[in-house]
Every structure is written in C-alpha cells, then in structure tokens.
Amino acid sequence: MSAFDSARGATPRGVAKLLALNWALILLLAAVAATGFLMLYSVAGGALQPWARPQMIRFGIGIAAMIGIAMIHIRFWRAIAPLAYLGTFALLILVEIMGEIGMGAQRWIDLGFFQLQPSELMKIALVMALAAYYDRLDPARVSRPLWVILPLLLILAPTALVLKQPDLGTALLLLMGGGAVMFLAGVSLWYFAAALAGGAGLVTTVLKSQGTDWQLLEDYQFRRIFTFLDPSADPLGAGYHITQAKIAMGSGGLAGRGYMQGTQSRLNFLPEKHTDFIFTTLAEEFGYLGTMTLLALYTLIIIFCIVSAISNRDRFGALLTAGIAVTFFLFFSVNMGMVMGLMPVVGVPLPLVSYGGSAMLVLLAAFGLVQSAHVHRPKARD
Amino acid sequence: MRRPADAPPPRITRRGLMLLGLQFGVIGTLGWRMRDLQILQNEKYRLLAEENRINIRLLPPARGTILDRDGRLLAGNRQNYRIVMVREQAGDPAAVLARLATIIDLPQEARDRVLREMMARSAFVPVVVAEHLSWDDVVRVAANSPVLPGVEPEVGLSRFYPDGPSTAHVVGYVGPVSERDLEKLEDPDPVLQIPRFQIGKTGVEQRLEPLLRGHAGNQRIEVSAAGRVMRELGRTEGQSGRDVNLTIDAELQIYAMQRMERQSAAAVVIDVRNGDIMALASAPGFDPSSFVFGIRSGEWNALLNDEYRPLSNKTVAGTYPPGSTFKMCVALAALETGAAGPGDTVFCGGSTTLGRRRFHCWKHGGHGTVDMRRSLSQSCDVYYYEMARRVGPDAISAMAHKLGLGIAHDLPMPAVAEGNMPDAEWKKIHRSEKWTTGDSFNYGIGQGFTLASPLQLAVYTARIAGGRSIQPRLLRAVGGAPVEIPAAEPLAIAPRHLEIVRGGMFAVSNEGTAYRSRFVDPENLMAGKTGTSQVRNITAAERAAGVTRNEQLPWNRRDHALFVAFAPFDNPRYAIAQIVEHGGGGSAAAAPIARDILGFALYGGPAPLSAYPPEQRGAIEEERAARPPQSEPDASAAAPARDRA
C-alpha cells in the first residue's frame, strides 16, 4: 500500500473530489445515453412511453450511483472485490436453482424498482475480482501454471453457469472480458495462443455435437449460428431478422432517412428494435454519419478509459479500468457485429442505448468504479 | 504470493496499448462494414426497403351499364351490402359468428367456410361473411356491433338485372373470375386478380366485356411487416366501363317473352331498314341474378335437366330445319337462274316419285295446277321438289347465303350458329357421298341437311322485305355515341323477282296458310310464310298404327312450328322469325304468336283490336281481359342508399 500511502495527501477531498471526476467521460456517457433516448423515442413512434422516459429515469439513477461509487475510495472496492464476486456468484446459482424449482427460466431477481440480472453484475464483479487478484499476486508468478489456473476458474465457473441459462452473449463477454484482464496483467502470450487453439477445437466439437446425445448448445443457438453463416438460406425464418436489419442499415445511406422516418423500423420490419437491434434504427434514420458518430463516441470512451488505466500507478485501479473498458468495448462491438451480420445473433444489447435497466445500471456502476480509480489515483512522486 | 510491498507495481502500459490496438482493429472493421452496407450498397438496400413497404392495390372499376334502345336499364350496378370480419379484432371468431347467426341468416356451412378462410389468411385481412344483405340486416348487425367485435358492414357494387329472365339470354350475366377464365385469356388484365371480381360469363356481358369492364385504378399503399395498411401514398383513379345501348326494345322483348310463356320457343324481331334487332327472345328464360349471387346446385340441375332448355339461347344458337319458310329462297333461286318464271306451273297430285321413292305433299289430295304465287300461299311441296330439281343445290345454297342463311352473323353473342345451307361439295366432304336428286327434293322444302337459326330466318325475311343486304346488329351506342353503320347494299337480286316473292308472302297471310293470323289494318298488312319442320319421319309402324297426327306423338317428337313475316307490306318496317319447338303446324302454333309480337312492334304496344280480323276480336278481347296487365319490374328490390344511412 506504499504507493497509496504516499499519495494520500494529494487525493482531493469533499467538493474538490467532485471536480476531480473525469467529467469528459461523463459527458461522453451522457451523449451516448442521449442518442439512446432519441432512438427509443423514435421507435416508440414519437413517444416518451413506453421506453424513452423509463430509460431517462434509469440513466439519472445510474449517473447518481456512478458519482456515489466514485466518491468512495478505490481501496474499499478493492477490499470488497472478492466478496462482490462470491456474492454475485451465489446470486447466479440462486437464479439457476429458482429456474430449476419451477419459477420458469428466469434470469433475474426482482428488486422492486428494477430487475437485477446477476449475470450482468458478474461482468463487473469478475473484472473486479481478477484485478484484485493480480494486484495482490507477485508479478513474477503471473505466468506460472498454478497461478493461471485460479483466475481461469474464476472466469470459467460463472461462464459455465451463464452458458447453462442459456445466455451465449453474456458467456462470451465474461470469457473475453476475463481473458482481457489476464492479458493486461501480463500472463504469457503462450497461454493465449493455447487458448485460441483450444477454442477452435471447442467450436469444432460444439458444432459436431449437434444432433447427438451430448449436444452442447440449444437448438435455437445452433440455428442462430447457421443462420449467421448463411442468412439467405432461410429468408423468412431465422434469417429474416438479419436480412431486415441489413436492409434497414443499408437503406440509411450517408445521411439517413431522417429522424422518425425510418420505414423499416416504423413498419415493424425490424425485430427487437428497442433492445438488441436499436442500432439498425439509428443506422436507418441517421445514416453513415449517425453510426460513425456513435462509434466515435464509443471509441473515445474506450480511449479515455485505457489512457486513464495506463497512466494509473495503482495496479488494481489500472486493471479494473482497462478491464471495464474492454467489457464495454465487447458490449458494443459484439452488438454491432451481430446486427451487421459479422457475428451470430447472441443477444447482447448496445451499451447505454438499448432499452434495459440491468445493463444500464451495471454499466454506469462500472464507470463509477472507473471514476473512483481515476479520482483516487496515486499522484506521481517525482 | 504477494508482490513485494517495496517494489513499484508493474505498469500495464504495453499490454494496454496492445489491447487498444486490437480494439481499434475491430472498430475499424465495424466502420468498414458499415461503409460497405450504407454507402456502397445503399442503392440496393434502399430499393429493398421500398419493396418492403409499398404495395400496389387495384381499385376495381365500376362496370358499364347495359341499356335498351331507349335508355331503359337492362343491367346495372347496385349497392351490395355485405358483412366482413377481421379475425384479430374478433377475439373468438367462432363465438362471434355463432352470435351473428342469431341476427342474420348464416348457416353452419357458411360459418365453417368463413372460419377456414380467416385461418388461411393473415389475422387483419377482412373476410366476407355474408353478401347481398338487405338494409334491415345491415341495421341489425350495426345495432349489435358491441357484441360483434371485428364484424363490419361494407358497401360494394353488384350487378343486377331489372328485367330478369326476359332479357337474360341477350344481356347474359356476370360471375366471379374462374381459373378457367384466366387460362382462356391471353393477356389477363391484372384487375381480374381481385378476389371476387366479376366478369361477363355469357351474352352481351361476356362479348362486350372489354367495353363494359373499364380500367382498374390503383392505390399505392404503405404496409407494415405484417401486411397491415398504414396509409395511402397515392392513387390513380381507374376508368369506369362504358355504358352501352343495345338495339333491343325492352318492352317488346318482355312482351315477346310473355307471349311465349310456357312454350319452348324463340322470336327475333329485326328492323328491315337497318338490321337493328328489336327483340331477341328465347323462352323459357332464367333468372340471371341467381348466377350473380352464386347458383345453388339444385337450381342449376333443374335448369340443365329442363327439356325446354332455358339456358340455351335458341334465337342465335338454336338451329332448325327451316321447313316451308325456306321456300322463298328456292323460288328466288328459280327466278334468278331462269329455271322458272312466275307463271310457270307445276301439277301437284299430292306426291311425286323419284325412282322407287315417293315424296309427299303436305296436302294428300294435292293442289292441282300451281304457279309460283299459289305455291307460296298454299305452301305446295311438289312445286318445290320440282324447282329444287331444276335449280340444283349449288344455286339454292348461293341464294341462301345471299339472303343471310348459312352464315354466322357477327353479333356480340356467344355461340352464334352458322346453320347449314349445303351444296353438292358439302355433301361430298361431310357425308362422302354424291348429291342426289332426293337431297335436292328435301332441300326444296327446307328439310334434310338444311339448318337455320331464328336470327338467320329474321335476317332472311328482312332482306327479302327490304331488298337490301342488311346486317343484324345489337349494339346501338357506346357511351352515348351512336355506332355508325354503313348503309346496306341492295341485294344482287332483280327487284322484280323480289316483288314476285313478296307478293307470294302477301298471299300467304291474306289468302293462304296464315290467313287466320293476319292484320286487317290497311296500314299494317302482313306478308309471311308458315313452316312446319319435321324432327322425325313417321315410321311405317306408326303409319300402320294410325299415328299420323302430330298431337298423338310425345312432345319432343312433334314437329317444330315456324313462321316468318314482315309488315307493313307496302312499306316494310319490321321482320320477325318465330319458332315454337315441337309446337306442331306453323300456321296454328307459330303464326298467331308472331302476329301479336309484330303488332306490338308496329303499334308500340299491343295491337288494337281493330287491327285484328273482326271474327277474332271477341276472343282476343276475352283473352286480354284474362291476362293480368304487364307488371313493371320490381324496382323496390334495389336498396335505397345514403339518405337512409
């Protein structure tokens, strides 16, 4: 804790702490969220209900929570990281059991004001736990097999649970987000090479399992994969969504068809247009300029986070910030890749834009952690 | 395990930048892909989006009306109230239909059909539940609308025929387009694809279809993914069908149909001067509306199995041996070829022999010495055996064609018969036999291979009466503009020869076989010719059993009765051809009917009693008193429109 102790005097206090927040990042987040409000207003046919207004309220709560979290010292978050991980893991098991005993395939716990999805929470808890782990681990041991197995277990245990739900998108995000933290922590590249080769083998095995007794994915997940590989094979069935999404985006052109003028979304040719496919409406109504603007905002957020992480001398704060940035990156790139037909449809929302409480609140809480790491970063000694 | 507290924590700069680079790579890929979709392939996807959203819907044109020569409606459109149902609004369609059945007549089978149709289509597509409803039904349904979700009354146009059976054969009827109709048409109008679109199936409705149908308008509509109509983007109004005036005089037509009631008969009245067909009546008629509303199989079978053949248009499609009405043609052929002069006589002893065969005259005792005038007035068969022998089949056939027989006249009617006026060549082709003198004998009296339709006989009579080769026509005006026809050429027959034949016909009506069916009004004296055509030979067995009288035979083996006439004699105006199937003798069965119909045409209403011979007036007066006055067509059936809505 030496780095921290020495920097304590420089850490801002009180109102100064608020000013020390990374306001540019908050501004970027607000810009992205505002894009979401615009789009939700549009897909509701020019109405605040049923999506835009609840989303705004949640964003307000989320920003407040973010600032609240940012005000708490990063030490605290590091201290509770293992606890957060274990608690979230317990919740994951709880929803799994609830599903088993007949409350339906429910993935959330109803907290009254919103429905908490433990799998959403896990995306952050996992990054926290891994950051804390590598913060405590002697860097010399990072690549030793024994010390690689533990973080691998931390990643694979929740991934397996989520996959069983089944939620392919979240499983993918957990796997890749966790892997990114390991990569940042300096785990030998050979492990990643081996993982890639193993992954390729696994994909082959999974595809081969179709139709056998030990089938590893649900039928609908197989269908989505095959539809992704050849959407035109089933233009009115599962490929319909992809085809219509492409038509919507492609018809947008450079400047789009105009706000609330998107025929594909207004006439219901698009699926899930307020959640996972909201990007297609944006693309249709604001065109290439619109999609590139959103992509630029996202990229700026990533850059801000990574720069903040690189410049942070606190290892926990740096790993946490970079890990969250990667998770955020995975969110939007998987979502966009999915609607553009570059990836199978796995069900990942567009972060801060898609309608949905859990994802929005969890993401803003995560940015709270990023802010906390930023505000409480140790100052340079020299 | 813990890192040493004194060592500075390792930085993540290198790995962080590597990861950032990787992310830039992915983001670049996404941006490149978006450029490909939105910029490079924009045209293609824009087009696909337009195809997605825009549908073209056809607007059926209003069908042109069919009017008689004076503008009286023969076929029109009237508002048709129907009830449609939308599945998605109905909740439980079966229950709603059951409730509806307590309000209007809706049998179980109709409900099943509606349910099937609704399930086969999208949930928002309106399905017709019942058509041709009365205004009262519509009001009841509207009043009960709270318990009938998804049920709505609609107004469409449907065809109606005010004079029903009287004009059915001429006007025809419409019906929904069938697969067979579509196959027959070479360039099917897209409007035919409209469900339940109606096209002419027979009669003028069928033959003047291109005029009557009009052109479909279209409506560009925006539809949602589910096919629901969101809004109208544009509309091109169609063009209604053209109204047409026929040459038919509806009142005359109706009178002719009434006059032929309970007979299997046909009458054609034609204007001698220009060929206008004033009446084209084929009895019995049928109700064309039953076809528009969808005919029930029982009714259909009854029509098909009726031995009076109500569905057949006997005026143009029925062909009969013309019998003695053909004798004017043979007489003209004889005069024109010089085979006989008007004064040349033939002795009739009741029969003549040819080889071992004996050919009888209808009058057993014979007519004695017969010249041309008497041969017509008394209808002597032996005279015409001789004339036919002298003239030969080719000259008779040529004369027949000149007079409008053996030709399929160009009328907007289906199945206009060609008849048959054979020559020697015809027999060689069709029977592979040589023409015999016996064939000529039969030709001479309009029997044998000879066939003519009432329409042809009317044209034939009109040409003899007027001396011009008039063409029959049925279409008088289109869209109010008269159809111009060239003036008819004079016939290539010496006028004095026609004069002689007309004189013979005058004698038929005023001293001969049709004497009882004459007018005595000097303004409207008739000239005609009776005919009786055999449909069988009296067999030797029958002759032995003493069956020689027509009345003793079953109906369908009795002779056809024919009569042709024109009037007024000195200034011919109308010609008529009358046939009564299996009616017996032409003078008894056909001539009286023909006289009444011709009289109606001449006087513009039933001929006055003063026109009839004095000795018949009493009987005619009694009969007229017994007959109910001609009723006006039931106009109240047409539902009143908006003022009550």
Coordinates of all heavy atoms in Angstrom, one line a residue, chain B residues 140-174:
Chain B
R140 N -79.5 -4.2 -38.3 CA -79.4 -5.1 -37.1 C -78.0 -5.4 -36.7 O -77.7 -5.4 -35.5 CB -80.2 -6.4 -37.4 CG -81.7 -6.3 -37.1 CD -82.3 -7.7 -36.9 NE -82.2 -8.6 -38.0 CZ -82.9 -8.6 -39.1 NH1 -83.9 -7.7 -39.2 NH2 -82.8 -9.4 -40.0
V141 N -77.2 -5.7 -37.7 CA -75.8 -6.0 -37.4 C -75.1 -4.8 -36.7 O -74.4 -4.9 -35.8 CB -75.0 -6.5 -38.6 CG1 -73.5 -6.5 -38.4 CG2 -75.5 -7.8 -39.1
A142 N -75.4 -3.6 -37.3 CA -74.7 -2.4 -36.8 C -75.2 -2.1 -35.4 O -74.4 -1.7 -34.5 CB -75.1 -1.2 -37.7
A143 N -76.5 -2.4 -35.1 CA -77.0 -2.1 -33.8 C -76.4 -3.1 -32.7 O -76.3 -2.8 -31.6 CB -78.5 -2.3 -33.8
N144 N -76.0 -4.3 -33.2 CA -75.4 -5.2 -32.3 C -73.9 -5.2 -32.3 O -73.3 -6.2 -31.7 CB -75.9 -6.6 -32.6 CG -77.4 -6.9 -32.2 OD1 -77.7 -6.9 -31.0 ND2 -78.3 -6.9 -33.2
S145 N -73.3 -4.2 -32.9 CA -71.9 -4.2 -33.0 C -71.1 -4.4 -31.7 O -70.0 -5.0 -31.7 CB -71.4 -3.0 -33.8 OG -71.8 -1.8 -33.1
P146 N -71.6 -3.9 -30.6 CA -70.8 -4.1 -29.3 C -70.5 -5.6 -29.0 O -69.5 -5.9 -28.5 CB -71.7 -3.4 -28.3 CG -72.5 -2.5 -29.0 CD -72.8 -3.1 -30.3
V147 N -71.5 -6.4 -29.4 CA -71.3 -7.9 -29.1 C -70.7 -8.6 -30.3 O -70.5 -9.8 -30.2 CB -72.5 -8.6 -28.6 CG1 -73.0 -8.0 -27.2 CG2 -73.6 -8.5 -29.6
L148 N -70.4 -7.8 -31.4 CA -69.8 -8.5 -32.5 C -68.5 -7.8 -32.9 O -68.4 -7.2 -33.9 CB -70.8 -8.3 -33.7 CG -72.2 -9.0 -33.6 CD1 -73.1 -8.5 -34.7 CD2 -72.1 -10.5 -33.5
P149 N -67.5 -8.0 -32.1 CA -66.2 -7.4 -32.4 C -65.6 -7.9 -33.7 O -65.8 -9.1 -34.0 CB -65.3 -7.8 -31.2 CG -66.0 -9.0 -30.6 CD -67.4 -8.9 -30.9
G150 N -65.1 -7.0 -34.4 CA -64.4 -7.4 -35.7 C -65.4 -7.6 -36.9 O -65.0 -7.8 -38.0
V151 N -66.7 -7.4 -36.6 CA -67.7 -7.5 -37.7 C -68.1 -6.1 -38.2 O -68.4 -5.3 -37.4 CB -68.9 -8.3 -37.2 CG1 -70.0 -8.3 -38.2 CG2 -68.5 -9.7 -36.8
E152 N -68.0 -6.0 -39.5 CA -68.3 -4.7 -40.0 C -69.1 -4.8 -41.3 O -68.8 -5.6 -42.1 CB -67.0 -3.9 -40.4 CG -66.6 -2.9 -39.4 CD -65.3 -2.3 -39.8 OE1 -65.3 -1.6 -40.8 OE2 -64.3 -2.5 -39.1
P153 N -70.1 -3.9 -41.5 CA -70.8 -3.9 -42.8 C -70.0 -3.1 -43.8 O -69.3 -2.2 -43.4 CB -72.2 -3.2 -42.5 CG -72.1 -2.8 -41.0 CD -70.7 -3.0 -40.5
E154 N -70.2 -3.5 -45.1 CA -69.4 -2.8 -46.1 C -70.4 -2.6 -47.3 O -71.3 -3.4 -47.5 CB -68.3 -3.7 -46.6 CG -66.9 -3.3 -46.1 CD -65.8 -4.1 -46.8 OE1 -66.1 -4.7 -47.9 OE2 -64.7 -4.1 -46.3
V155 N -70.1 -1.7 -48.1 CA -70.9 -1.5 -49.3 C -70.0 -1.7 -50.5 O -69.0 -1.2 -50.7 CB -71.5 0.0 -49.4 CG1 -72.3 0.1 -50.6 CG2 -72.3 0.2 -48.2
G156 N -70.5 -2.6 -51.4 CA -69.8 -2.8 -52.7 C -70.8 -2.6 -53.8 O -72.0 -2.3 -53.6
L157 N -70.4 -2.9 -55.0 CA -71.3 -2.8 -56.1 C -71.6 -4.2 -56.6 O -70.7 -5.0 -56.7 CB -70.7 -2.0 -57.3 CG -70.7 -0.5 -57.1 CD1 -70.1 0.2 -58.3 CD2 -72.0 0.1 -56.8
S158 N -72.8 -4.5 -56.9 CA -73.1 -5.8 -57.6 C -74.0 -5.6 -58.7 O -74.8 -4.6 -58.8 CB -73.6 -6.9 -56.6 OG -74.9 -6.6 -56.2
R159 N -74.0 -6.6 -59.6 CA -74.8 -6.4 -60.9 C -76.2 -6.8 -60.6 O -76.5 -7.7 -59.9 CB -74.1 -7.4 -61.9 CG -74.4 -7.1 -63.3 CD -73.7 -5.8 -63.7 NE -73.6 -5.7 -65.1 CZ -73.3 -4.5 -65.7 NH1 -73.1 -3.4 -65.0 NH2 -73.2 -4.4 -67.0
F160 N -77.1 -6.1 -61.2 CA -78.5 -6.6 -61.2 C -79.2 -6.3 -62.5 O -78.8 -5.5 -63.3 CB -79.2 -5.9 -60.0 CG -79.8 -4.5 -60.3 CD1 -81.2 -4.3 -60.3 CD2 -78.9 -3.5 -60.5 CE1 -81.7 -3.1 -60.5 CE2 -79.4 -2.2 -60.8 CZ -80.8 -2.0 -60.8
Y161 N -80.2 -7.2 -62.7 CA -80.9 -7.2 -64.0 C -82.3 -7.0 -63.7 O -83.1 -7.9 -63.3 CB -80.6 -8.6 -64.6 CG -79.2 -8.9 -64.8 CD1 -78.5 -9.7 -63.9 CD2 -78.5 -8.3 -65.9 CE1 -77.1 -9.9 -64.1 CE2 -77.1 -8.5 -66.0 CZ -76.4 -9.3 -65.1 OH -75.1 -9.6 -65.3
P162 N -82.8 -5.7 -64.0 CA -84.2 -5.4 -63.6 C -85.2 -6.3 -64.3 O -86.2 -6.6 -63.7 CB -84.3 -3.9 -64.0 CG -83.0 -3.4 -64.3 CD -82.1 -4.6 -64.6
D163 N -85.0 -6.7 -65.5 CA -86.0 -7.4 -66.2 C -85.8 -8.9 -66.1 O -86.5 -9.7 -66.8 CB -86.0 -7.0 -67.7 CG -86.5 -5.6 -67.8 OD1 -87.4 -5.2 -67.0 OD2 -86.0 -4.8 -68.6
G164 N -84.8 -9.3 -65.4 CA -84.5 -10.7 -65.0 C -84.6 -11.6 -66.2 O -83.9 -11.4 -67.2
P165 N -85.5 -12.7 -66.2 CA -85.5 -13.7 -67.2 C -85.8 -13.2 -68.6 O -85.4 -13.8 -69.6 CB -86.6 -14.6 -66.7 CG -86.8 -14.4 -65.3 CD -86.4 -12.9 -65.1
S166 N -86.5 -12.1 -68.7 CA -86.9 -11.6 -70.0 C -85.7 -11.2 -70.9 O -85.8 -11.4 -72.1 CB -87.8 -10.4 -69.9 OG -89.0 -10.8 -69.3
T167 N -84.7 -10.7 -70.3 CA -83.6 -10.3 -71.1 C -82.3 -11.1 -70.8 O -81.2 -10.8 -71.3 CB -83.2 -8.8 -70.8 OG1 -83.1 -8.6 -69.4 CG2 -84.3 -7.9 -71.3
A168 N -82.5 -12.2 -70.1 CA -81.3 -13.0 -69.6 C -80.5 -13.4 -70.8 O -79.2 -13.4 -70.7 CB -81.8 -14.1 -68.8
H169 N -81.1 -13.9 -71.9 CA -80.3 -14.5 -72.9 C -79.5 -13.4 -73.7 O -78.4 -13.7 -74.2 CB -81.2 -15.3 -73.9 CG -81.8 -16.5 -73.3 ND1 -83.1 -16.6 -73.0 CD2 -81.2 -17.7 -73.0 CE1 -83.3 -17.8 -72.5 NE2 -82.2 -18.5 -72.5
V170 N -80.1 -12.3 -73.8 CA -79.4 -11.2 -74.6 C -78.3 -10.6 -73.7 O -77.1 -10.6 -74.1 CB -80.4 -10.1 -75.0 CG1 -79.6 -9.1 -75.8 CG2 -81.6 -10.7 -75.7
V171 N -78.7 -10.2 -72.5 CA -77.7 -9.5 -71.6 C -76.7 -10.4 -71.0 O -75.6 -10.1 -70.9 CB -78.5 -8.7 -70.5 CG1 -77.6 -8.1 -69.5 CG2 -79.4 -7.7 -71.2
G172 N -77.1 -11.6 -70.7 CA -76.2 -12.6 -70.1 C -76.1 -12.3 -68.6 O -77.0 -11.7 -68.0
Y173 N -75.0 -12.7 -68.0 CA -74.8 -12.4 -66.6 C -73.3 -12.4 -66.3 O -72.5 -12.8 -67.1 CB -75.5 -13.4 -65.7 CG -75.2 -14.9 -66.0 CD1 -74.1 -15.5 -65.5 CD2 -76.1 -15.6 -66.8 CE1 -73.8 -16.8 -65.8 CE2 -75.8 -16.9 -67.1 CZ -74.6 -17.5 -66.6 OH -74.3 -18.8 -66.9
V174 N -73.0 -11.9 -65.1 CA -71.6 -11.9 -64.7 C -71.4 -12.9 -63.6 O -72.4 -13.3 -62.9 CB -71.2 -10.5 -64.2 CG1 -71.2 -9.4 -65.3 CG2 -72.0 -10.0 -63.0

